[in-house]
Amino acid sequence: MARDQSSYRMTMLLATIFTHLLGVSITLLVLFWLLNFREGFAFTSDVKFKIFNLHPLLMILGFIIFSGEAIIIYKAIPATRRVLKLTHLIFHLIALGTGILGVYVVFKFHNELDIPHMYTLHSWIGLSTICLFGLQLLLGFVTFLFPGAESATRARLAPWHVLFGLVIFAMAIVTAETGITEKFVFLKLKQGQEALVVNFIGLLILLFGIFVGLVVALPLRRK
């Protein structure tokens, strides 16, 4: 029994560490892509695509990475329940803030180049994801933090909170993948270093989503 528990804890530790490493790898690769191939990023610029470049930066590094880390926080660090709840909330607030800002900059980019809004599947799924994410965050806050529901109610709602959180996170992954594919097509990438970088970003995001789900699926065992 002790050996099984030790093996389980090692599996959980390795899965969590690998998820963190995926997040770091995605961050570095996205920065490498935008700085080396796409002229960087800026809120205001005569080079309008610098404004657009903030969109993948904020949505991937902010929204997806921080929301993924928030989801696995209960398995990632040994801390009191209160500290874990607050960290979970803070990471989700960062994710929501960067997500809203990411939507704003892409609308700003479209306005400055007179491009129509919300005409792709990527944009439909993405805006739906942001709205559902905000609703999930609000309901989770009033249920589990302030003012907080009764313990029996919290216990009944917790599995649904986890389930809908994972569904919304999966929607964020789908949004990122469709956005990357869309960008790949718009740039007419076929072969070359940039094409490889963009494809690897998409692959790593998919793996990140899978391992976040895996870490959540592994039951939490304490001594």
Side-chain angles (χ1 to χ4, degrees):
M1 179 66 70
R3 179 175 295 180
D4 289 343
Q5 290 179 349
S6 176
S7 176
Y8 175 85
R9 286 195 295 270
M10 180 58 67
T11 301
M12 174 69 76
L13 177 63
L14 291 175
T16 304
I17 290 174
F18 187 67
T19 306
H20 294 320
L21 291 176
L22 284 171
V24 172
S25 300
I26 293 167
T27 301
L28 294 175
L29 205 54
V30 168
L31 289 172
F32 176 75
W33 173 45
L34 295 177
L35 292 173
N36 286 272
F37 295 102
R38 297 288 106 205
E39 302 179 304
F41 37 83
F43 278 103
T44 57
S45 176
D46 292 332
V47 182
K48 300 306 179 183
F49 279 97
K50 286 187 177 183
I51 300 173
F52 175 84
N53 290 344
L54 279 171
H55 178 67
L57 180 74
L58 292 167
M59 302 309 290
I60 295 174
L61 306 192
F63 190 65
I64 288 181
I65 300 299
F66 270 96
S67 61
E69 291 291 339
I71 289 171
I72 67 172
I73 197 69
Y74 289 96
K75 308 287 183 71
I77 60 173
T80 64
R81 191 76 175 174
R82 181 72 176 177
V83 170
L84 290 173
K85 279 186 178 182
L86 289 175
T87 307
H88 181 75
L89 172 64
I90 290 169
F91 276 26
H92 272 319
L93 286 173
I94 294 172
L96 181 61
T98 54
I100 292 172
L101 190 57
V103 172
Y104 167 78
V105 295
V106 79
F107 271 80
K108 174 181 169 67
F109 168 75
H110 280 207
N111 284 335
E112 295 192 8
L113 291 183
D114 197 26
I115 299 173
H117 298 296
M118 303 295 297
Y119 65 93
T120 65
L121 180 62
H122 166 71
S123 60
W124 292 3
I125 299 174
L127 194 59
S128 299
T129 302
I130 291 289
C131 293
L132 290 173
F133 188 94
L135 180 61
Q136 166 87 347
L137 181 59
L138 176 62
L139 294 177
F141 181 82
V142 298
T143 302
F144 299 103
L145 279 173
F146 183 82
E150 295 181 354
S151 58
T153 302
R154 293 200 304 271
R156 287 197 303 272
L157 292 179
W160 293 104
H161 179 72
V162 173
L163 174 62
F164 284 118
L166 287 174
V167 169
I168 294 168
F169 181 69
M171 289 177 65
I173 297 295
V174 171
T175 302
E177 299 292 4
T178 55
I180 288 170
T181 302
E182 193 176 281
K183 188 66 174 176
F184 193 99
V185 173
F186 287 169
L187 293 175
K188 298 181 179 179
L189 300 177
K190 293 181 180 180
Q191 293 180 340
Q193 189 176 15
E194 184 177 6
L196 287 174
V197 169
V198 173
N199 280 335
F200 269 108
I201 290 172
L203 180 61
L204 291 177
I205 289 173
L206 177 61
L207 289 174
F208 183 73
I210 290 171
F211 272 84
V212 167
L214 176 63
V215 170
V216 172
L218 290 172
L220 186 62
R221 297 182 182 178
R222 302 187 185 275
K223 290 181 179 180

